[in-house]
Amino acid sequence: MSPSPSPSGPRAAALVNEEIRALMAETGTWLWGPTRERYEALRDEWVQAVREEITTAA
């Protein structure tokens, strides 16, 4: 399940990264099942946020 962007647009890469770090800390880096799916959704969101920030900066 993909997280939906906030009404004001996509979240900043730094915020998504914080959530990824928290997930990794909670799971002890062991990702499987729903946890793996959540990580992959966050990773995809982070990649998109980084691309957006690079495009905006250019």
Side-chain angles (χ1 to χ4, degrees):
M1 164 174 39
S2 268
S4 3
S6 67
S8 61
R11 296 190 294 166
L15 293 175
V16 180
N17 190 33
E18 286 179 26
E19 194 169 338
I20 291 170
R21 289 175 183 267
L23 178 67
M24 297 302 278
E26 289 171 17
T27 63
T29 69
W30 185 251
L31 302 173
W32 58 277
T35 305
R36 177 82 182 179
E37 292 170 8
R38 179 68 182 140
Y39 167 77
E40 290 174 357
L42 286 168
R43 179 202 59 209
D44 294 346
E45 182 182 1
W46 178 81
V47 167
Q48 185 62 36
V50 168
R51 286 182 180 153
E52 181 67 29
E53 289 174 10
I54 290 171
T55 303
T56 302

